[in-house]
Amino acid sequence: MIKKLSLYTFALLGTLILFNSCKKEYESIETLDTRTIEEYLAKNNIPELKDPSGFYYQIISEGTGAAVVNSDSVYYSYDFKHADGTSFLKNGDYTIPGTFLGYTDRFNFLTIPGVRLTLAKLKKGGTARVILPSRMAFGKNGQSALGVGSNEIVVIDLGLLNFSKQYEVDNFLINKFVTANNLQPVLDPTRVRYIISSEGTNKQDLKETSVVNVKYTGRLLNGTVFDSSTDGVTFTLNELIKGWYKVMPGKIGTGGKIRLLVPSDLGYGKSAQTDAAGNVTIPGNSCLDFDIEIVSITN
């Protein structure tokens, strides 16, 4: 009886020790998060504002536009950073994501309610910062693909942009691209910008229904080439994107060369384009940059 009791007592003590060690480990991570965040806030002179769910935030600029709710479509920017300010993931210079406010917490690698909750505190045009404890970010495992270490806090700079429609975003991005590259395009009524380097001959022959042989290179605004043909490929013009067949007729002929900066709605719209392996080559709502040479025209 004494032996059985001793074994039972030993097992019970072992269970309590294991439970307490797990509890202590959890509390140590929370303590580490709190200390790291408090050091970050003090170093950067940021007021300590903590959401009840556990993340910290800073409203940098409330914004002067309209307030938004979860059912509103919004355009926003994000920049994920280490505590030292080094960026490891951002939306890009020529990419502005847009979705319902209620979906802004959804990223490919993690769902982050703090993003949605903080954006909801802003008006359009506002900016904010989210500081995530490691336990609300990538935890003890980190995320090696993004360069995030174990138990690392994550800082996210956010902007709730003052756009309401995709065409406004497109115009903004193309204008930004034009300025950055010191271009002087002509603005077509379709909103496509174009630069003609050579008109070629018989430009009156080029119509929407023409069969054309063309050499071309297609790029995203960030410079990524998604398609090209240097040997020449034959198309019926109006079977291509509107940004081609609504703009080129009457402007260039055989031997003509033109550069087109195409808004997303005159390119592939909301639909992402993929290659044969299923890899995305053109993300949805992408503005496009084409260099085109007309080799021949058949009517």
Side-chain angles (χ1 to χ4, degrees):
M1 179 69 179
I2 295 174
K3 186 177 180 180
K4 289 184 179 179
L5 181 61
S6 298
L7 289 174
Y8 173 78
T9 304
F10 180 77
L12 179 60
L13 287 172
T15 302
L16 290 172
I17 290 170
L18 180 61
F19 175 78
N20 286 333
S21 65
C22 292
K23 183 178 181 182
K24 183 177 180 181
E25 181 184 357
Y26 171 76
E27 289 176 343
S28 67
I29 293 173
E30 187 172 18
T31 300
L32 175 63
D33 282 343
T34 300
R35 182 171 65 251
T36 304
I37 289 177
E38 287 178 349
E39 290 173 355
Y40 174 83
L41 296 176
K43 181 180 179 180
N44 293 278
N45 196 28
I46 298 173
E48 186 173 323
L49 293 174
K50 186 177 182 180
D51 186 85
S53 64
F55 70 90
Y56 295 73
Y57 66 93
Q58 177 191 15
I59 305 301
I60 299 172
S61 171
E62 184 183 25
T64 58
V68 292
V69 297
N70 279 347
S71 58
D72 289 337
S73 294
V74 297
Y75 296 93
Y76 63 105
S77 63
Y78 59 83
D79 187 358
F80 286 71
K81 298 179 177 181
H82 302 286
D84 65 2
T86 305
S87 176
F88 64 84
L89 180 71
K90 60 192 302 184
N91 55 282
D93 291 336
Y94 296 107
T95 303
I96 295 178
T99 186
F100 295 113
L101 176 64
Y103 293 160
T104 54
D105 56 2
R106 303 177 187 185
F107 296 86
N108 291 335
F109 48 82
L110 201 63
T111 298
I112 309 174
V115 170
R116 170 177 52 81
L117 294 172
T118 302
L119 286 174
K121 300 177 189 295
L122 302 176
K123 296 178 180 179
K124 287 187 177 181
T127 57
R129 179 169 292 132
V130 173
I131 304 98
L132 289 178
S134 68
R135 63 187 184 278
M136 298 182 72
F138 300 100
K140 65 180 181 180
N141 294 325
Q143 177 56 265
S144 58
L146 297 174
V148 179
S150 174
N151 294 328
E152 183 176 345
I153 70 167
V154 172
V155 180
I156 313 171
D157 285 342
L158 299 170
L160 186 59
L161 305 179
N162 206 7
F163 300 119
S164 299
K165 302 292 183 182
Q166 184 62 43
Y167 77 85
E168 297 173 341
V169 175
D170 292 348
N171 290 343
F172 170 80
L173 292 177
I174 292 177
N175 287 337
K176 179 180 179 180
F177 179 83
V178 166
T179 300
N181 291 278
N182 197 29
L183 302 177
Q184 294 182 320
V186 177
L187 177 60
D188 190 77
T190 60
R191 299 180 7 261
V192 171
R193 278 80 163 170
Y194 66 90
I195 300 171
I196 296 174
S197 54
S198 173
E199 286 191 356
T201 59
N202 301 317
K203 61 183 183 180
Q204 70 279 0
D205 290 345
L206 185 60
K207 301 178 176 61
E208 287 189 16
T209 55
S210 296
V211 176
V212 293
N213 184 271
V214 298
K215 299 177 182 180
Y216 70 94
T217 298
R219 297 175 292 266
L220 305 178
L221 293 187
N222 65 10
T224 300
V225 175
F226 59 81
D227 196 11
S228 67
S229 174
T230 56
D231 296 327
V233 61
T234 299
F235 301 106
T236 300
L237 191 58
N238 63 9
E239 292 177 348
L240 305 176
I241 61 172
K242 289 183 178 180
W244 281 39
Y245 75 79
K246 290 293 186 182
V247 177
M248 290 198 297
K251 292 184 173 66
I252 58 173
T254 302
K257 297 180 179 180
I258 191 170
R259 184 174 186 177
L260 301 177
L261 302 175
V262 181
S264 66
D265 60 305
L266 298 177
Y268 296 98
K270 298 178 181 179
S271 301
Q273 303 299 301
T274 58
D275 61 19
N279 300 310
V280 174
T281 55
I282 306 176
N285 292 324
S286 290
C287 299
L288 308 174
D289 175 18
F290 288 99
D291 286 323
I292 303 168
E293 177 183 354
I294 303 294
V295 177
S296 65
I297 303 170
T298 303
N299 288 315

